[in-house]
Structures are given as C-alpha cells and as structure tokens.
Amino acid sequence: MRKARRATVLGWRWRRRDNPLRRHSDRAEAWVVLVTWVLATAGAIAAGVASALVIEDVMARSREEGREVSAVLLETAPAALRDVSTGATYTHVRAKVRWTDGEGIVHIDRASVRAGTDAGATATVWTDGNGHLIPTPMGPTEAEARAVLTGVGAAVGGGLVVLAGGRLVRLRIERRATELWAREWEQVGPRWGHRTG
C-alpha cells in the first residue's frame, strides 16, 4: 500500500481572503512567525555586537590601566600542582612577593608566579596603579577571542529568547483557534447526525 504524499503549499496563510479554509488565526500566526524571525535575527545581531564591543572595551581598559612591575619572591614557590580528577597540571602557583610602586612604597602580597621559582628570584606582576595586584591582562588575540565568544553567546541567547516568546504567542493563537473550532463543531456536528456515505 502506497503512502499518500502531502503537498506543502508555501505561503498559503498569505493568500487572498476568499479562501474559505483560511482562518483569521492562520493569518495572525503567519504575522507572528514573520515578526518573531525578524526580531530574533536583528536582536541576535544587536546583542552579539553590543556584547563583543563591551568585552573589547573592558579588556582594552584593563590593559591600559594595568602596570607591569618587577617583584621579588620572598619564599620559594610550591612545585607544580596536578589535579588528580582532571589530570591538569598547574604551572603557576601563588607565592609571597615584594615590589615597589612608582611612588617608592613597598608592597607585599601573594601573586601568581611560575611553580618552583626560588626565593629571591624576580617575577613579573601586574598592579592597578594603586598598589593592588590584578590578574595579568589578556593579550589582544585572547581578548578578541573572548569578545567573539561572548558576542556569539549573547547572540544565540538573545535569539532563542525571542524565538521562545514567539512560540508562546503562537501556542496561544493555536489554542484560541482550537477553542473556536470546537464551538463551531458543537453547532454543526449535531446537524450531521448519524449519516453515512
């Protein structure tokens, strides 16, 4: 037995109004789909670009405001750490260091240094200009990669939120159309009675 093939007619919801099978809800649903996709696309692009620009700005400011200073280790840094659960080896550990800022003030704090470095050795640390240690700023390539990933994430997330909202609106339209169809069937169905053939 051959399976019947269903033909899909593109744009049937947009055809002329004299189609007796097209309901008002079909046209409303078509508009919701169109508006949802336009908003999802435009919103995703806008969210992605805005997020990427914000991340780029934050990273650039971090590189500009940070100051690279030379510090002296006050203790021998611990050996490299190995995480038994993941198998990762950490080549940088925290150790006590001393540095002098531009105003001649001596600071002592714990900073990330290469594992196993001996006491008295020098290490490069980054400060915010107020004597506080900051993480090493990302290089331009890393910052660009972070900005791109953040932008893509924001674009996908924003687009999915809009699509989910559009789907909820479509479900309400479909539920309302089903209720109207059920009401009409209650009026017409009994007139057909038990006729056959």
Side-chain angles (χ1 to χ4, degrees), residues 32-109:
V32 168
V33 169
L34 178 66
V35 169
T36 298
W37 278 103
V38 168
L39 287 177
T41 304
I45 291 170
V49 169
S51 297
L53 290 175
V54 167
I55 291 295
E56 278 183 359
D57 184 51
V58 167
M59 299 293 177
R61 220 173 322 122
S62 171
R63 281 192 306 272
E64 290 170 7
E65 293 173 359
R67 290 178 177 78
E68 189 177 19
V69 296
S70 183
V72 177
L73 268 76
L74 299 178
E75 62 186 7
T76 300
L81 299 173
R82 183 168 174 81
D83 188 340
V84 292
S85 62
T86 62
T89 301
Y90 298 101
T91 59
H92 282 74
V93 294
R94 297 189 64 78
K96 193 179 283 190
V97 296
R98 180 185 67 228
W99 75 95
T100 305
D101 66 16
E103 297 175 2
I105 300 172
V106 176
H107 299 272
I108 297 175
D109 203 346

Side-chain angles (χ1 to χ4, degrees), residues 24-194:
H24 174 71
S25 62
D26 295 329
R27 190 171 189 136
E29 188 177 350
W31 277 107
V32 168
V33 169
L34 178 66
V35 169
T36 298
W37 278 103
V38 168
L39 287 177
T41 304
I45 291 170
V49 169
S51 297
L53 290 175
V54 167
I55 291 295
E56 278 183 359
D57 184 51
V58 167
M59 299 293 177
R61 220 173 322 122
S62 171
R63 281 192 306 272
E64 290 170 7
E65 293 173 359
R67 290 178 177 78
E68 189 177 19
V69 296
S70 183
V72 177
L73 268 76
L74 299 178
E75 62 186 7
T76 300
L81 299 173
R82 183 168 174 81
D83 188 340
V84 292
S85 62
T86 62
T89 301
Y90 298 101
T91 59
H92 282 74
V93 294
R94 297 189 64 78
K96 193 179 283 190
V97 296
R98 180 185 67 228
W99 75 95
T100 305
D101 66 16
E103 297 175 2
I105 300 172
V106 176
H107 299 272
I108 297 175
D109 203 346
R110 296 184 75 74
S112 176
V113 296
R114 186 170 301 282
T117 306
D118 293 326
T122 58
T124 301
V125 296
W126 285 80
T127 65
D128 62 2
N130 296 321
H132 299 99
L133 291 176
I134 60 171
T136 303
M138 289 184 183
T141 305
E142 290 173 302
E144 188 175 310
R146 173 78 58 92
V148 168
L149 288 175
T150 303
V152 168
V156 169
L160 288 177
V161 167
V162 174
L163 290 174
R167 182 65 182 142
L168 289 175
V169 172
R170 284 182 61 204
L171 287 174
R172 287 188 63 114
I173 291 172
E174 288 173 7
R175 184 179 306 141
R176 178 76 176 132
T178 302
E179 290 169 0
L180 289 173
W181 182 83
R183 245 185 265 144
E184 290 173 5
W185 183 253
E186 285 174 6
Q187 294 172 358
V188 174
R191 287 191 231 153
W192 288 11
H194 294 287

